[in-house]
Amino acid sequence: ADELSAKIQSYRPNPNEDGYFLLLASPKIVSDQTERSAKTVVFTLDVSGSMSGAKIEQARESLKFVLSRLNDGDKFNVVLFGTDVRSFSQNLRDVDAASRSEGIAFVDAVRSRGSTNIEDALNVSFDQLAQDDSANPKYLFFFSDGEPTTGETNEMKLAQLAREKNDGARFFSFGLGYD
């Protein structure tokens, strides 16, 4: 009984005719958390002036939440960009209690200012991922609210830059706000 979960929903729009039913059957999913493979993650966050207020607060809290849930043995870095680009660490950091805490403190101190230099942010972020020559899966999470305002501003050229620099990482782009 614990191996399968089942739910049924029925629908009969006309009481004088046959109706329909939907059966949802799901097997029990067993996950051994000790078997999780290590991963390499770079979080890239827009901290330009347009991110001020609720957007930067939401991004900060989300990033702190994710950092707190990285597994020991993972590798990570945080890249912040406005007019200039700065990183939590010059190199990827192995996740342990100390680096996790330092990363969260770094993100907690984030304040918004400057322009939006996506070109330099992409270059630094992909260069960080290239430092890891392991077989670990690599991820780039890119958070921004707007369009580029300094450096390369042509969005098609930026997309081409990302394609050229990406050496097999999964790239996730998140738009913040309504801009």
Side-chain angles (χ1 to χ4, degrees):
D2 291 335
E3 299 299 316
L4 185 67
S5 171
K7 296 193 188 286
I8 190 165
Q9 291 182 340
S10 61
Y11 177 67
R12 190 172 185 182
N14 185 338
N16 298 325
E17 295 179 13
D18 292 339
Y20 308 92
F21 73 91
L22 172 67
L23 174 67
L24 300 171
S26 304
K28 181 178 178 181
I29 297 174
V30 179
S31 172
D32 184 2
Q33 290 190 345
T34 61
E35 294 295 322
R36 290 185 181 169
S37 63
K39 61 192 164 296
T40 302
V41 187
V42 173
F43 302 97
T44 306
L45 176 61
D46 181 349
V47 294
S48 64
S50 63
M51 286 287 292
S52 64
K55 287 187 275 188
I56 197 73
E57 183 63 32
Q58 179 184 22
R60 185 185 304 121
E61 293 306 312
S62 298
L63 198 46
K64 287 169 26 182
F65 176 84
V66 173
L67 286 171
S68 69
R69 282 154 180 81
L70 289 175
N71 298 315
D72 287 357
D74 291 342
K75 294 180 181 183
F76 81 103
N77 205 346
V78 178
V79 175
L80 307 177
F81 72 99
T83 304
D84 299 314
V85 177
R86 60 192 164 104
S87 299
F88 162 63
S89 176
Q90 191 171 13
N91 299 306
L92 291 168
R93 294 281 300 269
D94 290 324
V95 175
D96 58 25
S99 66
R100 189 181 295 114
S101 178
E102 291 168 14
I104 290 171
F106 177 77
V107 170
D108 206 30
V110 165
R111 300 296 175 258
S112 59
R113 64 182 181 282
S115 301
T116 309
N117 189 345
I118 292 177
E119 177 185 21
D120 286 352
L122 288 172
N123 281 319
V124 169
S125 298
F126 282 117
D127 288 347
Q128 286 287 318
L129 287 172
Q131 290 179 11
D132 183 15
D133 57 3
S134 73
N136 293 349
K138 296 171 183 64
Y139 303 91
L140 173 57
F141 293 92
F142 195 89
F143 302 87
S144 181
D145 74 330
E147 56 190 78
T149 58
T150 191
E152 179 59 65
T153 57
N154 181 303
E155 293 171 7
M156 295 306 288
K157 289 182 179 178
L158 290 169
Q160 181 61 34
L161 171 69
R163 281 190 291 276
E164 290 170 2
K165 296 282 290 192
N166 189 351
D167 188 27
R170 293 186 180 195
F171 183 99
F172 299 93
S173 180
F174 297 91
L176 301 170
Y178 299 102
D179 302 346

